[in-house]
């Protein structure tokens, strides 16, 4: 189920070892997911976006950086080759919208990936070892929570100086917190459970217990958090680009397109309309999908 | 209870210190300062004079200690951008605007949100319920600057009904400088998301409570529907609403950079961006500390509010991050 | 129309005459508080009010240039004092506070004679000692004036002892600006600097007495504010409203027709809407969005009242680090210079001739020693084939092997960013190379540009003049300036021409030769000269505003302070 969305699916072997009834659990989850109409709609939208992002070079009528100075700021359908019009530099707006999907998804997946890489180990360490380790990590989490994440991202970008990579770093710095916190609380509850205690009694090394037993079991809520974190990251990228702190030109970003459109909107409405629609559709798609995954994996939790 | 509050307060102060150190270090690692070199490099002497004037000629750690010793006495310094005033006054001025936006937004979001949520809950699965659910989903997922742009496209560009931007500056006002036509679009655009959240919470909790045994019992005992609602349903539905308030209010009163920038409102959020660009160190520090403080306090108040509404909730569970 | 009698006696005479006329003809005459008769089509004097927008997002704290150049209330400026000299519409230096000036034989000692009878609004006579005190204020290290670089930047070494004083090595009394007597001010420069009189257009004056009693911000309160200019402060509420009224004590060269000027604070984004609602009388060009321009150009009344001017002769250009590969290769630079389709970019992306003209060199036509004949247009023209040839000659045939570039912008707003993006796209598309454009914030950009050696490999930026002499706009290109381009011949000619006295024709030719070197050796790639301008309400009239200059351009030109005297409001509304 998660394959199409590109979310990391847990390695089957680990899951099997962790909980014996996992096969039926995943089967159930899949059934629940596909019975949810909104979730399927979300999956369709997200699949569509992924296809746009991956095959942008084939799908876009023009390269994202191709300019024609005789076609600057043309409204939609003035020229049939530019069905969504052209932008303020003379580039085909449809093509830039398609490439914008790529930017959004690169940022979103990278940010969540890094968040996982930082948040899971830290959270697991804190939860498993407790004591001083837990204290330090929890304090770090506390401090990072106190930062208004957008203001923090703006400050980081002003230090590191903009661009795609900086945005990813700036957003990752705050997005690992929720993962770490989740992992910690999951590991906290799991480490006292029978299979952990048994493994420990059998003399399995600590890191092995953690890798083989605790993390896979903590995976479900983390997967949910990631699937809901993706739209947050897309929103943040769009927001920062909207403020002019985003990716370099000529890379296309929906947020940047909306930000620029503000000065043109009184006459050239198309500059604002299409990228806002794209952002809205993407956010809806990922939210539906995320909610669907949550409901499927965690049936107890009410919406 | 007192002990809990004191503990929370102590940890809040520690966090604020950590925030101040991190922000101070970060902002001093960016090139530039309160001088203009856009024509070319300043002569060293001229630049040194400016740095000395702002106390920036000392090592960073010394500047930090200096800043903090003043900040502890509630002296947050002089903003580089407007040396005629003080940071406290300037924050007061810009934040006042943000708070106006925030309060209006809270008013709209919570009154409409609760109303819509209750209405949807009583008319479960009706078309109104569906409309509310759909709007709520849209409100939560679609970023507010996108909604704001749509509003501008429709209400200001296509139909010139409302001003494109400004705050008490480009429209008619009902009373003095208050309740102006240019308040409408930003407030509604900003209110949509919290309104959606409130409506969702309200609907869900009322639906839950309605099904609960004691409500059924009360109803079976012949207590009138109105009284059931007031005494049981609404009361129990308050907890999720407090949660919503607790998470939304700090956001709302510290303002949205997006809303302020798209509607050109000179509030705290927009000022933060210009402060960063102008390397206005005292303003950057003050903004961060203010926002961190507000958030900390609201979290604390939310927890305390729980105990009032629901005596079953006990405070002081240790070890929770 | 303007009375140019400066003598005290003449003024008193004019006033009494006006008074007599008033008595004689009742109220039939429409005269100002200074007794100047308004044009026949003017509204009554009490309604002579101009409303200008003030930017409520700006960081500003002073009316006075000597206090903070970058933090002035920019909607109401230059009204509380007259500078030593002024410029007319054709940029000739004309007397303002100074009635005459001369230079000693050493070419370094300038003597300015003030008009007799100038007076502050509190009745105190205006003297050369006020000018001296003002200059000392700006040079004092404690003041840390934001424009302090300027007087060490003009000519070689600037004003005598300026650098030493701001460094704290000499007391301010040693400054090369001294009052000899009440009416005589002496300005001594370290080197020979012929354009000095024009630069004295920046010589603002503050009252010595007020500075001593109330400090440099005395103008921020109507109670302590004192003016020797055409207007006095009557209401000061920044962020809300600033109001000035005609100064009844004004004895200077530009007596105002307007009774008052109101500065109304609003968000810059709402200027145009407020203008269309008739709430304000003027919108400066930098507050008009591309969409606003589209509306202006499609409306005959608006477009007839959008008055272009030269502004600060601003030129947009690309700059390189020419000390390192790949831009140390002249062929690469020539390839870039010839790959920019300036004409198309200016016509379509920049917004057409209302906003800019294509540039082939640094000096905008109209500026002294500029290439008005187009003799330099051939060097940096758009010729994609030639550009590709140059790139191939540099060892990158078809763009192969050319390193990917990141071109930096300096905190550009969307409309200007589009122009530079288009330039980058034009180059990338013609040469088949990869250029990204990164919009940096001002401080980061300038820090990288100003660093020696520079950290800016490829950037786009604009520069507007500081004073009206080629020594300024060409001087910034010498190898000790901010750019990383060195041409010894260029350096030599500019240095020699800057100091050349007594042969204006030769001086002019030398600057032209220098500019030829600049474009041929591609110190920068010149893209556009900006037309600046203002949108005015049709009922705001005035010769300085509406009458064209020698090149046919109307509008408020850069630093033409005279404008504020002959503006008036027409009655036929």
């Amino acid at each position: 189920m998660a394959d199409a969305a590109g979310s990391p699916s847990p390695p089957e072997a680990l899951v099997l070892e962790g909980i014996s009834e996992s096969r039926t659990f995943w089967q159930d989850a899949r059934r629940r997911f596909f019975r949810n109409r909104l979730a399927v709609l979300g999956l369709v939208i997200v699949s569509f976006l992924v296809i746009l992002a991956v095959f942008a070079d084939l799908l876009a009528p023009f390269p994202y950086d191709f300019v024609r100075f005789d076609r600057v700021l043309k409204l939609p359908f003035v020229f049939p080759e530019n069905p969504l019009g052209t932008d303020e530099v003379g580039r085909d707006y449809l093509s830039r919208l398609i490439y914008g999907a790529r930017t959004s998804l690169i940022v979103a997946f990278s940010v969540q990936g890094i968040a996982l890489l930082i948040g899971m180990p830290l959270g697991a360490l804190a939860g498993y070892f407790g004591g001083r380790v837990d204290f330090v990590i929890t304090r770090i989490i506390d401090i990072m929570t106190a930062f208004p994440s957008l203001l923090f991202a703006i400050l980081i970008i002003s230090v590191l100086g903009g661009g795609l990579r900086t945005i990813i770093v700036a957003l990752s710095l705050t997005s690992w917190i929720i993962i770490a916190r989740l992992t910690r609380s999951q590991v906290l509850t799991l480490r006292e459970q029978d299979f952990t205690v048994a493994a420990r009694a059998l003399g399995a090394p600590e890191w092995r217990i953690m890798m083989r037993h605790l993390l896979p079991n903590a995976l479900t809520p983390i997967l949910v958090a990631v699937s809901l974190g993706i739209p947050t990251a897309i929103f943040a990228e769009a927001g920062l680009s909207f403020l002019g702190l985003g990716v370099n030109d000529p890379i296309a970003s929906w947020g940047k397109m909306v930000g620029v459109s503000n000065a043109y909107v009184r006459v050239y409405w198309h500059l604002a309309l299409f990228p806002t629609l794209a952002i809205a559709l993407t956010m809806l798609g990922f939210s539906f999908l995320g909610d669907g995954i949550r409901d499927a994996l965690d049936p107890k939790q009410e919406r | 209870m007192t002990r809990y509050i004191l503990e929370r307060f102590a940890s809040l102060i520690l966090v604020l210190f950590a925030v101040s150190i991190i922000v101070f270090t970060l902002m001093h690692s960016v090139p530039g300062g309160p001088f203009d070199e856009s024509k070319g490099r300043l002569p060293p002497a001229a630049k040194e004079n400016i740095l000395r004037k702002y106390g920036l000629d000392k090592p960073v750690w010394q500047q930090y200690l200096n800043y903090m010793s003043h900040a502890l006495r509630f002296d947050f310094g002089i903003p580089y951008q407007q040396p005629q005033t003080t940071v406290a006054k300037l924050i007061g001025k810009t934040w006042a605007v943000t708070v106006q936006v925030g309060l209006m937004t809270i008013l709209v979001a919570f009154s409409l949100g609760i109303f819509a949520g209750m209405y949807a809950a009583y008319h479960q699965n009706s078309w109104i319920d569906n409309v509310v659910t759909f709007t709520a989903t849209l409100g939560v997922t679609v970023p507010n600057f996108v909604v704001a742009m749509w509003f501008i496209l429709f209400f200001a560009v296509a139909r010139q009904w409302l001003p494109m931007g400004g705050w008490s500056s480009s429209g008619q006002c009902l009373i003095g400088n208050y309740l102006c036509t240019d308040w409408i679009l930003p407030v509604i655009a900003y209110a949509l998301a919290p309104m959606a959240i409130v409506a969702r919470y309200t609907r869900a909790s009322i639906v839950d409570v309605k099904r609960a045994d004691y409500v059924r019992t009360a109803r079976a005992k012949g207590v009138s529907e109105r009284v059931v609602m007031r005494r049981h349903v609404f009361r129990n539905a308050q907890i999720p609403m407090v949660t919503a308030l607790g998470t939304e209010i700090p956001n709302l009163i510290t303002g949205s950079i997006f809303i302020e920038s798209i509607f050109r409102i000179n509030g705290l959020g927009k000022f933060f961006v210009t402060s960063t660009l102008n390397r206005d160190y005292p303003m950057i520090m003050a903004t961060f500390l203010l926002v961190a403080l507000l958030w900390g306090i609201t979290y604390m108040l939310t927890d305390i509010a729980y105990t009032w509404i629901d005596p079953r909730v006990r405070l002081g569970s240790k070890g929770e991050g | 129309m303007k009375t140019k009698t400066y003598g005290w006696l003449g003024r008193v005479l004019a006033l009494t005459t006006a008074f007599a006329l008033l008595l004689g003809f009742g109220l039939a005459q429409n005269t100002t508080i200074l007794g100047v008769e308004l044009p026949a089509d003017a509204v009554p004097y009490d309604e002579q009010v101009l409303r200008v927008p003030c930017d409520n997002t700006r960081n500003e704290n002073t009316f006075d240039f000597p206090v903070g150049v970058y933090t002035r209330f920019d909607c109401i400026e230059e009204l509380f004092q007259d500078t030593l000299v002024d410029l007319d519409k054709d940029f000739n230096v004309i007397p303002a506070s100074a009635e005459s000036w001369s230079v000693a034989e050493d070419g370094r000692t300038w003597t300015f004679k003030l008009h007799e009878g100038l007076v502050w609004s509190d009745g105190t006579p205006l003297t050369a000692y006020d000018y001296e005190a003002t200059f000392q204020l700006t040079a004092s290290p404690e003041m840390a004036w934001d424009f302090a670089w300027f007087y060490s930047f003009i000519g070689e070494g600037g004003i005598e002892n300026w650098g030493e004083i701001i460094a704290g090595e000499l007391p301010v009394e040693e400054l090369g600006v001294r009052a000899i007597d009440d009416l005589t001010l002496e300005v001594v420069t370290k080197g020979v600097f012929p354009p000095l009189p024009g630069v004295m257009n920046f010589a603002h004056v503050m009252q010595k007495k007020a500075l001593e009693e109330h400090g440099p911000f005395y103008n921020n309160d109507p109670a302590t504010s004192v003016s020797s200019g055409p207007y006095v402060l009557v209401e000061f509420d920044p962020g809300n409203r600033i109001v000035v009224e005609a100064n009844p004590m004004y004895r200077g060269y530009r007596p105002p027709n307007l009774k008052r000027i109101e500065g109304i604070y609003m968000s810059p984004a709402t200027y145009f809407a407020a203008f269309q609602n008739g709430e304000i009388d003027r919108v400066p060009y930098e507050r008009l969005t591309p969409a606003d321009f589209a509306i202006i150009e499609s409306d005959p009344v608006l477009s007839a009242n959008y008055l272009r001017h030269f502004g600060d002769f601003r030129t947009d250009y690309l700059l390189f680090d020419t000390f390192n590969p790949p831009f140390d290769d002249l062929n690469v630079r020539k390839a870039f210079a010839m790959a920019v389709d300036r004409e198309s970019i200016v016509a379509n992306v920049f917004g057409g001739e209302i906003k800019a003209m294509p540039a082939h060199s640094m000096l905008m036509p109209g500026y002294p020693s500029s290439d008005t004949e187009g003799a330099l247009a051939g060097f940096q023209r758009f010729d994609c084939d030639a550009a590709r040839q140059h790139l191939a000659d540099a060892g990158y045939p078809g763009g192969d092997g050319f390193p990917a570039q990141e071109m930096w912008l300096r905190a550009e707003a969307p409309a200007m960013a589009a122009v530079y993006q288009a330039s980058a796209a034009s180059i990338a598309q013609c040469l088949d190379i990869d250029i990204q454009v990164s919009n940096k914030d001002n401080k980061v950009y300038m820090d990288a540009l100003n660093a020696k050696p520079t950290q800016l490999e490829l950037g786009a930026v604009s520069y507007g003049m500081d004073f009206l002499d080629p020594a300024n706009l060409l001087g910034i290109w010498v190898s000790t300036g901010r750019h990383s381009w060195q041409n010894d011949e260029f350096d030599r000619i500019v240095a020699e021409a800057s100091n050349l006295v007594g042969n204006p024709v030769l001086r002019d030719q030398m600057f032209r030769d220098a500019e030829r070197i600049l474009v041929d050796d591609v110190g920068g790639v010149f893209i556009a000269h900006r037309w600046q301008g203002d949108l005015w309400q049709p009922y705001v009239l005035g010769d300085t505003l509406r009458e064209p200059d020698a090149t046919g351009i109307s509008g408020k030109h850069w630093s033409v302070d005279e404008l504020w005297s002959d503006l008036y409001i027409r009655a036929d509304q």
Side-chain angles (χ1 to χ4, degrees), chain B residues 142-260:
Chain B
V142 179
N144 54 25
F145 67 85
V146 168
V147 175
M149 213 68 214
W150 289 344
F151 281 3
I152 288 177
L153 273 174
F154 186 76
F155 294 105
V157 175
R159 304 256 174 280
Q160 280 131 20
W161 287 339
L162 291 167
M164 280 180 74
W167 187 261
S168 309
S169 63
S170 49
Q172 279 93 39
C173 299
L174 211 57
I175 315 158
N177 264 338
Y178 299 94
L179 302 176
C180 309
T181 46
D182 58 7
W183 287 25
I184 299 175
L185 291 187
V187 165
I188 298 184
Y190 198 13
L192 218 55
M195 188 165 78
I197 292 169
V198 171
R200 254 189 188 187
Y201 271 121
T202 312
R203 181 187 175 280
S205 49
I206 290 182
V207 166
D208 275 1
V209 178
K210 255 168 76 180
R211 285 203 219 105
D213 292 339
Y214 58 93
V215 173
R216 287 196 194 158
T217 320
R219 218 176 262 140
K221 277 200 275 182
V223 179
S224 83
E225 188 68 11
R226 190 173 285 251
V227 176
V228 170
M229 276 303 147
R230 207 175 43 225
R231 225 183 253 164
H232 299 287
V233 178
F234 194 67
R235 185 169 211 180
N236 281 286
Q238 275 175 334
I239 291 183
M241 283 195 272
V242 168
T243 315
L245 267 170
T247 49
E248 287 305 318
I249 283 181
N251 267 327
L252 291 173
I253 58 176
T254 48
S256 160
I257 295 181
F258 302 127
I259 291 292
E260 289 179 7

Side-chain angles (χ1 to χ4, degrees), chain B residues 30-54 80-85 90 93 163-172 177 182 262-266 270-271 274-280, chain C residues 56-62 67 70-71 139-149 152 163 165-168 217 220 238-240 265-267 269-270 277 279 289 312 314 410 441-444 446-447 450-452 462-466 476 482:
Chain B
V30 191
F35 42 82
D36 192 295
E37 295 198 311
S38 52
K39 291 283 187 181
R41 185 64 89 197
L42 288 179
K47 191 166 168 178
E48 273 163 32
N49 289 341
I50 295 173
L51 289 179
R52 196 175 320 117
K53 185 172 172 182
Y54 291 100
Y80 299 166
Q81 312 167 54
Q82 300 190 20
Q84 278 303 91
T85 179
L90 193 55
K93 202 175 99 187
M164 280 180 74
W167 187 261
S168 309
S169 63
S170 49
Q172 279 93 39
N177 264 338
D182 58 7
I262 211 163
F263 289 109
R264 289 101 172 196
I265 299 170
N266 299 309
K270 199 174 160 194
F271 216 81
T274 50
S275 299
T276 317
L277 295 181
N278 285 312
R279 308 288 184 270
D280 191 341
Chain C
N56 66 2
T57 64
R58 243 179 84 87
N59 305 311
E60 42 187 26
N61 63 0
T62 180
V67 177
Y70 296 109
T71 56
S140 81
E142 299 79 51
M143 181 65 195
W145 190 38
D146 59 1
F147 214 58
W149 60 273
S152 46
I165 292 167
I166 60 172
F217 290 98
N220 286 8
N240 194 16
Y265 277 82
M266 55 182 75
S267 165
T270 59
N277 283 343
E279 295 161 25
T289 67
D312 57 0
R314 190 160 286 269
R410 185 176 72 179
D441 82 47
N442 187 20
K443 311 259 180 189
V444 170
M446 289 316 298
D447 219 55
N450 290 332
K452 297 280 173 212
S462 69
Y463 200 98
M465 67 164 171
D466 307 295
I476 65 162
R482 68 176 189 175

Side-chain angles (χ1 to χ4, degrees), chain A residues 64-73 88-91 158 160-163 244 247-251 256 259-260 262-268, chain C residues 272-273 276 289-292 294-295 341 344-345 348-349 406 414-418 421-423 425-426 429 434-441 444:
Chain A
Y64 63 95
D65 56 353
F66 178 76
V67 298
R68 274 192 70 168
F69 295 137
D70 54 346
R71 294 205 179 159
V72 175
L73 290 170
E88 76 283 2
V89 187
R91 299 173 294 211
S158 79
L160 298 179
V247 299
N248 288 347
D249 200 80
I251 298 169
K256 192 168 69 179
V260 167
N262 213 352
Y264 296 84
V265 71
R266 264 187 97 180
V267 177
Y268 310 104
Chain C
F272 186 55
Q276 288 184 302
T289 67
D292 297 339
I295 293 167
D341 186 359
S344 300
I345 291 172
N348 299 300
V349 183
E406 185 174 272
M416 256 339 277
Q421 285 164 9
S423 308
S426 182
Q429 223 155 284
D434 187 19
I435 304 178
Q436 285 203 359
V437 181
S438 181
N439 205 356
K440 302 290 181 192
D441 82 47
V444 170

Side-chain angles (χ1 to χ4, degrees), chain C residues 482-500:
Chain C
R482 68 176 189 175
H483 301 103
S484 292
W485 169 74
Q486 181 164 13
N487 184 301
D488 297 335
E489 178 71 359
F490 177 86
D491 281 7
R492 189 186 61 78
I493 298 178
V494 169
E496 266 177 37
S498 296
N499 302 342
L500 187 70

Side-chain angles (χ1 to χ4, degrees), chain B residues 2 22 64-65 73 86 152 183 190 209 291:
Chain B
T2 325
I22 294 173
Y64 175 76
L65 291 184
R73 283 172 270 153
T86 65
I152 288 177
W183 287 25
Y190 198 13
V209 178
V291 175

